[in-house]
Amino acid sequence: MCPLQVSRELPLLPPLRCQALVGAMPMISSLQSLFPGLSSWDSLDEMSLSNKLTPSTDKETLNNRLPPVVLPTSSTAGVSASHNKLLKYRRFKEQQKTLNQIVIDRALKGYKATMEEKYQRVPIPPEPELPSTMNSEQKKRRTNYLFMKKCVESNPVVPIQQQWLTSMLTLVPQSLMEGKDREFLVEELLDEVTKDFEMSMKRCVVRSVLVKPDVKGLEDEKEGPLPVSPLGLDFSRPWHNSFIQARSQILTNLHILHPTLKILLDIGYTTFSKLLIVDLSNVSLKGPIDCESLKNDVSLNCSKTEEKLLNTWYPRVVNLFTRKEALEGVKSDKVDSFYNCVATLMSNQLKELLRRTVEAYVKLFDPEDKRWLPLFKMELTFDDEKMEFYPNFQDLEEAILFIVTRIGQTLQNVQTVHSWLAGGPTTVTLDTELADHVIAWASSTLKRAIQANLEGPKKHFERYVERYGWLVDGTADTRIESFEAEEHNFDEYTAFIDEFLSLAKEIMSLPLLAHFPMVRLDCDDLKQGLTDKAKSFANILMERIVANHREENEKICKEFETIKERALKVPETTEEMMEMIAYVEKAKTTGIQALLIKIQECERRMNYLLDVFIFAPEDLALNATVLLWPQKINPIFDEHDDVIEQSKRKGESELLAKREKLILELEKQTRCMEEFTEFSELDRMQQYVTDMRALQKRIQEAEETVAFINKEETLFKWELTEYPVLESLKVNIEPYQKLFVLILKWQRTEKRWMDGAFLDLNGESMETEVDEFFREIYKMLKLFQQKQKKAELEKKKTLHRRAIVEEKLEEEKKENRTIIMCSSIMGQIKDFKENIPTVTILCNPGIRTRHWQQMSDIIGYDLTPDSGTTLRKVLKQNLAPYLEQFETISVGASKEFSLEKAMHAMMEIWESVSFHTSIYRETGVSILSAVDEIQTILDDQIVKTQTMRGSPFIKPFEKEIKEWEDHLIRIQETIDEWLKVQAQWLYLEPIFSSEDIMQQMPEEGRLFQTVDRYWRDIMKYCVKDPKVLAATSLTGLLEKLQGCNELLDKIMKGLNAYLEKKRLFFPRFFFLSNDEMLEILSETKDPLRVQPHLKKCFEGIAKLHFLPNLDIQAMYSTEGERVELISTISTSEARGAVEKWLIQVEDIMLRSIHDVIAESRLAYPETERKQWVLEWPGQVVLCVSQMFWTSEVHEAICNGPEV
């Protein structure tokens, strides 16, 4: 039984007793590690109880060393192997016995001292027992383990032996331990080794004695059990025989000590000791070199050196092995091995030569000593709008690394001596390839050196890029484009140009060469390229301002040419002449001054451009033309004055001629106007209208002529001429024009009414038009009468003789034919108006054949009109005596017509009325929508139809109106049944689309499938032709819908019975509505559908925790508190019966709450209240708190008051 297990059954041991129990363990472990033979614990049973060592004992242990037992060489020299083995066994037994006795003595001595100390000490009062709630089982085990571990670690261990430290020091070279600081360091290291040994021994003892319990609070304790037996230790000697065998093979095959090979070594030393394949130490003295030249020189030198060695060293080697004594002492079966050794030796010599050459070359690039560093030529170039190095860094690096590669390629075809001596067709060459690590070292070293030495050129290049890179990276182009896109004056352009020109000068002033440790950088090409680039940008801007300058000069010349052209052009009209005069006056005052300012600005631009730009000959000619225009313009103005004077005289004479011609034309028109008063023949009214329009056209032309003359007079600044005769003509002709047009229109209308188709006449419209004609003619009559009276009064004033006036007035009264013509037309209109009642009665649109038959019976002959019947023919029949009887028939026909028209209007309305349908969710089935308007139209028309049936005039089409009424009522009944089926189908379709519902209600499901099939067929027909009349006229539609409603009523009764059954099985379903229950029952395969409705079924449960397999593990309150169920509820076992696993939830919910309350009650005394409150649900906390409060109050009452 381990100490930890003992501590679980017994109370805590005092410290001395525990130390006595485990004190012997470290020493025993130490002795076992020092003496592998001491592997049995049986001889140390007496030590297993106590081994408490006092401080004096510790010192004795540290001071007593067990010296190694070594037999003298004299006593063992002549002893056989078996006798030696016997002696070793005896020594081992003696050492074991001695050690056992020493350990036992010290353990007994420590035990006696411990017991004496215990009896002399004052007895320790017993520790008070703590309540079980304050000292849990885990805490006891943790405290016991930590105390036991402390006791074990406090015991001393056997220190490291001095001879082990000495053996460690012998493995360290003496040179590393010389010096004062080195000696101090050695002492520190030995102290550290000693401490590590003691810590390891203590850790080993703890691991071998104690077992760490699996309790909280010991996670950081990393002590674990030791291996059962040492691993990886083998003290046998299996290698001795192989060592002897290997040594004999080496002595047999070691040819390096042969005299011939010694001579070969001497030849190689004398030949290669001071030789390099290529010596580049003097390259730096030659000045800057080109990469390609260096590669060519190195290749040539390598070839020469290889050729030299093959002509000097190799023949000497071959001659060495052609001697007789070359193979002296070599066995015949070892000849090939001997020559292989020769080949290996030669290969090593050549490899060493190549390695030294590479190292010498790499040493040239030593960053600490740059005296021998080669100097390479490099250029900064400007090509394809790019700034680059030539050669670039990659090419330079490849050239430098090429030399290493070329050195490695040298002496790769040297033939072996054995192959040369054999002289066979097959040639065997020496392996002289450089080692990969040498090439890798050389490459990495050279790359670092190249990178370090190229930093200077790179920074120099970056300075160029930083200062002038914007010229080539598109920035300058962007600046110029944005600058040109904006509006800038000439001075801003010149400032921008000067910026580029000064930049070009700055670039050209930079140094041509830049010197660096490994590179001489030539910047000439880059400087020239950047300079040209800057000048090209300046030229772009300069071309722009030259183009602007040219454009401005052309504008100036164009304006002068325009002034010249306008000033010298002969005006064709007076208006044009006046505009020309005003234009030239403005040009003399403001135009020329503005142009002179522009010419001065042009001269200033030209002075700048002459210094920096070379003008083309045409530009120079244009500049000269601009400067000479101010001198050429004055003679042009003088010539303009002469042209204007001539044009002015010509225009005045033409204006006088037009005035005279206009006066003659007005006199002629006045005479024509006087002739209109004599027009009185009604048959020539068309001619009168034509003449009137011709006169009006001439008056309009005269008005235009007057306007032109007045305009010309205004331009010449003459007094405007007035023409009152023209205004009088316009006023006098207007009444005649209206009268003649009105009479002509009346004549044409009357002829159309009298001789047109009789049935096309409309009495109401005829009466309206006749009244309108009468009013207009009456107005014209009054106008001419007033005009006549006014003329008579004027003539009274002008004539002195009254008798003469009266006589003339009487004559005029007799001779005023216009008034007579108006009176005549009014008489015709009155006569025609008497025929309008006949037209109104006989041309009624409601008269049908039966009405004409009635009128024919009255008059005694057939009165039915045909296509040739006219009003004139009807009037000749003298129907006036029968009009009263005809009127009675016509009135009845009108009322019948209005009823028939209303019926047809109702039918026509339905031609444009259609059902509105929409797709229902994802079923693909359409449903009716927005039928309120259709029902409103139905109700309105049914009322109208029933009203019309009560009219006495409905008899001719009573059958039609009755059929229409029946049709409307059937439509209304069909729509009502349709909407009722649709409402129930919409409610039941999501329910019976669930497979679970179909399985649980098979009969109702079958009925619903029947209804669903009918419904889909009906809606398919409706969508195909959505017009109401067509959709509702389907044969048997109403009966089919009524049958569907009966089936749906049966389905609803079965559904309600099914839900009632579920509620009786699980009464908490009464808290849910039908829709909520159906949502749950339609998806019984998905228990998660119950989650939203749990709050209604279980007031305290907000949701359940479902596992991935849909088993229920816990429940949550609204506040998020979780309560684990005492057992998992399997929803799959219910096989879709939701009510079954909900009953399980109800049952296990109660049992789980009981269990949680019980656990919380047990945890209350053992846990701090603050922590306890946070660990349990709120309702459980309240319940348990009340339980403890009640019990404590009961106990307090029973115990009475405290004394």
Side-chain angles (χ1 to χ4, degrees):
M1 184 178 292
C2 68
L4 182 58
Q5 290 171 332
V6 174
S7 67
R8 291 173 185 169
E9 299 178 0
L10 300 176
L12 292 175
L13 299 175
L16 291 176
R17 182 71 56 83
C18 186
Q19 289 177 351
L21 178 64
V22 299
M25 300 302 178
M27 187 174 292
I28 295 170
S29 301
S30 301
L31 291 174
Q32 280 185 315
S33 62
L34 292 174
F35 301 97
L38 190 60
S39 59
S40 175
W41 286 84
D42 298 337
S43 61
L44 300 178
D45 290 338
E46 298 176 4
M47 299 171 55
S48 60
L49 295 177
S50 63
N51 190 22
K52 178 69 180 76
L53 298 178
T54 59
S56 61
T57 309
D58 296 340
K59 292 180 180 179
E60 292 176 4
T61 304
L62 295 173
N63 294 330
N64 291 334
R65 306 282 189 209
L66 290 174
V69 180
V70 181
L71 293 175
T73 56
S74 60
S75 62
T76 62
V79 181
S80 64
S82 60
H83 190 60
N84 280 336
K85 187 174 181 182
L86 181 59
L87 290 175
K88 288 180 181 179
Y89 176 73
R90 289 178 179 175
R91 285 198 304 273
F92 172 75
K93 296 297 287 185
E94 290 175 0
Q95 288 177 352
Q96 186 176 7
K97 184 176 181 181
T98 304
L99 285 172
N100 289 344
Q101 189 62 39
I102 292 173
V103 172
I104 292 170
D105 292 342
R106 290 181 180 176
L108 292 174
K109 186 178 179 180
Y111 176 70
K112 292 177 181 178
T114 302
M115 296 304 293
E116 291 176 358
E117 183 180 353
K118 175 184 175 183
Y119 293 137
Q120 292 175 3
R121 268 189 326 200
V122 179
I124 300 173
E127 296 181 2
E129 284 194 22
L130 298 176
S132 60
T133 57
M134 295 181 62
N135 199 1
S136 64
E137 185 66 24
Q138 287 192 358
K139 187 173 182 182
K140 292 177 184 179
R141 294 170 65 187
R142 181 172 62 249
T143 306
N144 195 4
Y145 172 77
L146 294 176
F147 179 74
M148 297 278 286
K149 179 182 177 184
K150 185 176 180 183
C151 292
V152 173
E153 290 180 345
S154 64
N155 285 281
V157 296
V158 177
I160 190 170
Q161 293 188 22
Q162 187 64 34
Q163 63 181 12
W164 296 352
L165 298 176
T166 305
S167 299
M168 294 179 191
L169 293 176
T170 57
L171 299 176
V172 181
Q174 190 64 29
S175 61
L176 296 179
M177 295 190 293
E178 295 176 355
K180 184 177 180 181
D181 295 337
R182 301 289 177 88
E183 292 177 357
F184 179 71
L185 178 60
V186 170
E187 292 179 2
E188 287 185 345
L189 292 175
L190 291 177
D191 291 341
E192 185 177 348
V193 170
T194 303
K195 293 178 181 178
D196 287 344
F197 177 79
E198 291 179 359
M199 290 177 61
S200 300
M201 293 300 295
K202 289 182 178 181
R203 192 179 301 114
C204 179
V205 171
V206 171
R207 289 181 178 178
S208 62
V209 173
L210 298 179
V211 176
K212 185 177 75 172
D214 186 13
V215 296
K216 291 184 179 179
L218 297 179
E219 290 82 2
D220 297 333
E221 299 292 332
K222 300 181 180 179
E223 307 298 342
L226 289 174
V228 177
S229 61
L231 300 177
L233 300 179
D234 187 5
F235 299 99
S236 62
R237 297 173 60 188
W239 49 265
H240 183 71
N241 293 332
S242 61
F243 167 76
I244 300 300
Q245 183 181 0
R247 185 173 64 179
S248 64
Q249 288 180 357
I250 289 174
L251 292 175
T252 304
N253 298 319
L254 188 63
H255 303 297
I256 193 65
L257 301 179
H258 196 276
T260 304
L261 293 183
K262 184 177 182 301
I263 297 172
L264 178 61
L265 286 172
D266 294 338
I267 293 173
Y269 179 77
T270 56
T271 304
F272 301 137
S273 60
K274 297 182 180 179
L275 178 66
L276 295 176
I277 298 297
V278 59
D279 187 6
L280 298 176
S281 59
N282 296 326
V283 173
S284 60
L285 302 178
K286 297 179 182 179
I289 58 174
D290 185 71
C291 291
E292 294 298 327
S293 300
L294 179 62
K295 290 165 65 176
N296 294 333
D297 292 345
V298 168
S299 298
L300 184 60
N301 289 336
C302 289
S303 300
K304 287 181 178 179
T305 304
E306 182 177 2
E307 184 179 0
K308 179 181 177 182
L309 290 176
L310 293 178
N311 292 330
T312 57
W313 167 77
Y314 191 72
R316 290 180 63 190
V317 172
V318 172
N319 291 333
L320 176 63
F321 287 94
T322 56
R323 297 183 305 167
K324 295 181 179 180
E325 60 272 15
L327 298 177
E328 184 178 354
V330 180
K331 296 180 181 181
S332 59
D333 59 340
K334 297 295 182 181
V335 172
D336 291 341
S337 175
F338 178 78
Y339 278 114
N340 288 339
C341 183
V342 171
T344 302
L345 183 59
M346 293 174 68
S347 296
N348 290 340
Q349 289 177 338
L350 294 178
K351 285 182 180 180
E352 180 64 19
L353 174 62
L354 296 177
R355 185 189 63 78
R356 286 192 294 106
T357 305
V358 171
E359 289 180 351
Y361 173 65
V362 174
K363 192 174 181 181
L364 298 178
F365 294 87
D366 187 3
E368 303 297 333
D369 185 7
K370 298 186 179 181
R371 292 178 299 168
W372 313 109
L373 189 65
L375 186 62
F376 293 94
K377 292 181 181 179
M378 292 189 76
E379 296 181 9
L380 285 178
T381 62
F382 185 81
D383 190 18
D384 292 337
E385 302 295 324
K386 293 180 181 179
M387 297 186 289
E388 297 176 332
F389 281 96
Y390 178 79
N392 57 32
F393 293 164
Q394 183 67 26
D395 294 340
L396 180 62
E397 182 179 306
E398 289 178 358
I400 294 174
L401 296 178
F402 168 80
I403 297 174
V404 176
T405 305
R406 185 65 185 86
I407 293 172
Q409 294 172 352
T410 309
L411 298 173
Q412 297 302 307
N413 296 318
V414 179
Q415 193 174 4
T416 62
V417 174
H418 194 194
S419 175
W420 190 89
L421 293 175
T426 304
T427 302
V428 181
T429 58
L430 297 174
D431 178 18
T432 57
E433 187 176 356
L434 274 173
D436 292 339
H437 68 88
V438 175
I439 297 175
W441 166 80
S443 299
S444 60
T445 305
L446 290 174
K447 286 181 180 179
R448 288 195 298 272
I450 293 169
Q451 186 176 4
N453 285 295
L454 289 180
E455 288 296 327
K458 190 183 296 184
K459 290 181 180 178
H460 189 75
F461 174 74
E462 288 174 354
R463 285 197 291 272
Y464 268 97
V465 174
E466 182 181 356
R467 296 175 62 184
Y468 311 114
W470 64 278
L471 292 173
V472 297
D473 64 1
T475 305
D477 295 308
T478 305
R479 284 187 61 188
I480 290 176
E481 289 176 2
S482 59
F483 185 83
E484 290 181 340
E486 300 170 355
E487 294 292 335
H488 293 282
N489 56 31
F490 180 77
D491 294 332
E492 291 172 342
Y493 267 98
T494 56
F496 202 12
I497 292 172
D498 292 341
E499 179 182 348
F500 283 106
L501 294 177
S502 61
L503 191 63
K505 293 180 181 178
E506 177 185 339
I507 295 172
M508 289 304 295
S509 65
L510 295 174
L512 184 64
L513 299 175
H515 298 278
F516 300 97
M518 196 182 76
V519 174
R520 191 199 70 179
L521 195 60
D522 187 354
C523 307
D524 183 51
D525 186 70
L526 180 60
K527 286 174 53 182
Q528 190 62 42
L530 290 175
T531 302
D532 294 342
K533 192 67 177 176
K535 289 182 179 179
S536 68
F537 288 130
N539 290 334
I540 292 173
L541 295 172
M542 206 172 298
E543 289 290 343
R544 178 65 183 271
I545 62 172
V546 168
N548 292 341
H549 175 70
R550 185 185 302 113
E551 184 179 354
E552 192 64 28
N553 286 346
E554 290 174 351
K555 287 182 180 179
I556 293 173
C557 292
K558 187 176 181 179
E559 291 185 16
F560 273 110
E561 290 290 345
T562 303
I563 293 173
K564 177 181 177 182
E565 182 181 356
R566 293 285 299 276
L568 299 182
K569 181 181 178 182
V570 178
E572 296 180 358
T573 62
T574 305
E575 184 178 4
E576 186 177 347
M577 179 183 66
M578 295 304 173
E579 290 178 356
M580 185 185 297
I581 293 172
Y583 173 79
V584 172
E585 289 297 327
K586 183 178 180 181
K588 287 181 180 180
T589 54
T590 60
I592 296 299
Q593 296 299 324
L595 288 173
L596 291 177
I597 294 173
K598 291 182 179 180
I599 291 173
Q600 292 176 0
E601 181 65 20
C602 172
E603 187 175 359
R604 185 175 73 87
R605 291 196 303 269
M606 189 166 54
N607 291 334
Y608 172 80
L609 293 174
L610 287 173
D611 295 335
V612 296
F613 187 77
I614 300 176
F615 282 105
E618 54 270 18
D619 289 334
L620 292 174
L622 183 62
N623 291 333
T625 303
V626 170
L627 296 176
L628 292 176
W629 260 114
Q631 303 174 9
K632 293 164 58 178
I633 196 64
N634 289 326
I636 292 173
F637 287 149
D638 296 338
E639 187 176 354
H640 162 76
D641 294 339
D642 297 337
V643 171
I644 291 300
E645 185 63 29
Q646 295 177 4
S647 299
K648 191 172 183 181
R649 288 196 295 269
K650 181 180 177 183
E652 290 177 349
S653 61
E654 290 178 353
L655 179 60
L656 292 173
K658 285 183 178 181
R659 288 167 63 179
E660 294 176 359
K661 185 177 179 182
L662 177 61
I663 292 172
L664 295 175
E665 180 67 21
L666 290 177
E667 291 177 354
K668 183 178 178 181
Q669 292 177 7
T670 302
R671 289 194 297 272
C672 291
M673 179 62 201
E674 291 175 353
E675 293 178 358
F676 287 152
T677 59
E678 304 296 328
F679 292 167
S680 61
E681 299 180 11
L682 296 177
D683 297 337
R684 299 182 59 191
M685 192 56 59
Q686 179 65 43
Q687 182 64 38
Y688 295 162
V689 172
T690 303
D691 296 343
M692 178 64 65
R693 289 175 178 172
L695 180 60
Q696 284 182 325
K697 184 176 180 181
R698 290 197 298 271
I699 291 174
Q700 184 177 0
E701 292 174 354
E703 285 181 338
E704 294 174 356
T705 304
V706 169
F708 176 78
I709 291 172
N710 290 337
K711 183 179 178 181
E712 294 284 314
E713 290 172 344
T714 304
L715 293 175
F716 284 119
K717 298 182 180 179
W718 290 0
E719 184 178 356
L720 297 181
T721 306
E722 295 181 357
Y723 297 93
V725 177
L726 181 60
E727 295 298 326
S728 176
L729 277 173
K730 290 169 61 179
V731 172
N732 293 332
I733 199 174
E734 184 177 1
Y736 289 99
Q737 187 265 342
K738 289 183 179 180
L739 177 62
F740 293 161
V741 171
L742 186 61
I743 293 174
L744 180 62
K745 184 178 179 181
W746 160 252
Q747 290 176 347
R748 291 177 176 176
T749 304
E750 182 189 18
K751 181 173 180 57
R752 176 169 56 81
W753 287 339
M754 293 296 292
D755 299 329
F758 181 71
L759 294 178
D760 295 339
L761 299 179
N762 189 319
E764 295 179 0
S765 61
M766 287 175 62
E767 185 176 5
T768 303
E769 291 185 37
V770 168
D771 291 341
E772 182 67 24
F773 277 120
F774 187 82
R775 283 194 298 272
E776 294 296 327
I777 295 297
Y778 182 75
K779 288 180 183 178
M780 299 305 299
L781 176 62
K782 290 297 181 181
L783 177 64
F784 281 107
Q785 288 177 351
Q786 291 177 0
K787 188 176 180 181
Q788 183 178 6
K789 290 180 181 179
K790 186 176 180 181
E792 291 174 357
L793 293 175
E794 290 179 356
K795 288 184 178 181
K796 275 185 181 181
K797 294 178 181 178
T798 55
L799 297 177
H800 300 288
R801 296 179 182 179
R802 186 182 183 119
I804 297 173
V805 172
E806 290 178 355
E807 184 180 354
K808 287 185 177 182
L809 284 174
E810 290 177 358
E811 292 177 358
E812 287 183 2
K813 287 181 182 179
K814 293 178 181 179
E815 295 178 356
N816 195 338
R817 299 184 179 183
T818 304
I819 296 175
I820 296 173
M821 186 168 54
C822 290
S823 300
S824 175
I825 293 297
M826 289 180 64
Q828 292 180 9
I829 293 173
K830 288 180 181 179
D831 294 339
F832 185 82
K833 196 171 183 181
E834 295 177 356
N835 301 324
I836 290 179
T838 303
V839 175
T840 303
I841 293 171
L842 298 181
C843 294
N844 188 348
I847 295 179
R848 298 291 182 265
T849 304
R850 60 179 181 274
H851 301 120
W852 289 112
Q853 184 63 38
Q854 293 176 7
M855 289 188 283
S856 299
D857 294 340
I858 293 172
I859 200 172
Y861 58 87
D862 187 9
L863 193 62
T864 303
D866 53 16
S867 59
T869 304
T870 61
L871 179 60
R872 194 181 304 276
K873 293 180 180 181
V874 172
L875 293 177
K876 289 180 180 181
Q877 296 181 10
N878 193 17
L879 300 177
Y882 309 102
L883 286 182
E884 291 183 3
Q885 299 177 20
F886 290 170
E887 184 177 5
T888 303
I889 297 172
S890 179
V891 170
S894 297
K895 292 183 179 181
E896 292 174 1
F897 177 69
S898 63
L899 292 174
E900 184 180 8
K901 187 176 180 181
M903 183 179 67
H904 288 299
M906 287 191 292
M907 294 180 180
E908 290 175 358
I909 288 175
W910 288 106
E911 293 180 0
S912 60
V913 177
S914 300
F915 283 118
H916 296 284
T917 60
S918 59
I919 299 296
Y920 177 64
R921 296 183 181 174
E922 299 178 357
T923 60
V925 181
S926 299
I927 59 173
L928 297 181
S929 59
V931 296
D932 295 340
E933 183 179 356
I934 297 174
Q935 290 179 325
T936 302
I937 296 174
L938 266 176
D939 296 339
D940 183 44
Q941 290 201 4
I942 290 173
V943 172
K944 286 183 177 179
T945 304
Q946 292 174 349
T947 303
M948 290 168 61
R949 285 189 61 193
S951 173
F953 299 97
I954 200 64
K955 188 174 181 180
F957 38 90
E958 184 177 5
K959 181 179 178 181
E960 296 178 11
I961 199 69
K962 180 67 171 62
E963 292 176 354
W964 178 245
E965 181 184 11
D966 295 340
H967 194 185
L968 290 178
I969 293 173
R970 184 175 180 83
I971 291 175
Q972 188 178 45
E973 292 175 353
T974 302
I975 293 177
D976 292 341
E977 294 291 335
W978 200 333
L979 294 178
K980 185 177 178 182
V981 172
Q982 175 172 295
Q984 296 194 62
W985 183 86
L986 292 177
Y987 176 72
L988 295 174
E989 194 277 335
I991 298 172
F992 285 97
S993 61
S994 170
E995 295 181 1
D996 297 334
I997 295 294
M998 293 293 289
Q999 292 176 0
Q1000 297 173 39
M1001 303 176 64
E1003 179 62 24
E1004 287 77 4
R1006 185 181 60 79
L1007 295 177
F1008 181 78
Q1009 288 178 350
T1010 303
V1011 174
D1012 184 69
R1013 185 171 64 254
Y1014 289 160
W1015 174 256
R1016 292 175 184 269
D1017 293 340
I1018 292 170
M1019 291 310 301
K1020 183 178 179 181
Y1021 179 80
C1022 179
V1023 172
K1024 185 176 180 180
D1025 190 356
K1027 290 186 177 181
V1028 175
L1029 291 180
T1032 56
S1033 62
L1034 181 63
T1035 305
L1037 176 62
L1038 178 60
E1039 292 75 13
K1040 187 179 291 187
L1041 291 173
Q1042 290 172 346
C1044 289
N1045 277 321
E1046 293 175 359
L1047 294 178
L1048 289 171
D1049 291 338
K1050 293 180 181 180
I1051 294 171
M1052 288 300 297
K1053 291 179 181 178
L1055 182 62
N1056 292 330
Y1058 169 73
L1059 295 179
E1060 188 69 18
K1061 179 181 175 182
K1062 294 291 182 180
R1063 288 191 174 102
L1064 293 175
F1065 191 88
F1066 182 62
R1068 290 178 182 264
F1069 273 157
F1070 282 104
F1071 298 138
L1072 301 179
S1073 64
N1074 287 352
D1075 294 340
E1076 292 171 338
M1077 280 192 64
L1078 289 171
E1079 182 180 355
I1080 296 173
L1081 297 174
S1082 62
E1083 292 291 342
T1084 56
K1085 294 180 181 179
D1086 185 8
L1088 297 178
R1089 298 291 289 269
V1090 182
Q1091 290 275 39
H1093 311 293
L1094 277 176
K1095 184 67 176 174
K1096 290 187 177 180
C1097 293
F1098 301 94
E1099 186 177 1
I1101 300 179
K1103 65 177 180 177
L1104 298 174
H1105 176 68
F1106 288 88
L1107 296 176
N1109 62 353
L1110 296 180
D1111 287 350
I1112 303 172
Q1113 186 183 38
M1115 53 187 176
Y1116 290 90
S1117 67
T1118 307
E1119 294 76 19
E1121 295 177 336
R1122 176 187 174 100
V1123 175
E1124 295 286 338
L1125 300 180
I1126 59 174
S1127 63
T1128 303
I1129 300 174
S1130 176
T1131 58
S1132 59
E1133 292 180 358
R1135 296 183 179 180
V1138 181
E1139 63 277 6
K1140 291 184 179 180
W1141 62 262
L1142 282 175
I1143 289 177
Q1144 290 182 326
V1145 169
E1146 182 179 16
D1147 178 48
I1148 296 179
M1149 169 191 71
L1150 299 174
R1151 291 159 53 193
S1152 299
I1153 293 297
H1154 294 165
D1155 190 65
V1156 171
I1157 292 174
E1159 291 178 0
S1160 175
R1161 181 175 175 275
L1162 295 175
Y1164 183 81
E1166 300 180 1
T1167 312
E1168 187 180 358
R1169 179 169 176 82
K1170 290 183 179 180
Q1171 183 180 357
W1172 177 81
V1173 169
L1174 298 175
E1175 289 178 352
W1176 301 95
Q1179 293 296 328
V1180 174
V1181 169
L1182 292 175
C1183 179
V1184 175
S1185 298
Q1186 291 298 318
M1187 291 169 63
F1188 273 93
W1189 180 84
T1190 304
S1191 62
E1192 290 171 1
V1193 169
H1194 178 73
E1195 184 179 355
I1197 293 173
C1198 293
N1199 293 336
E1202 294 183 359
V1203 181

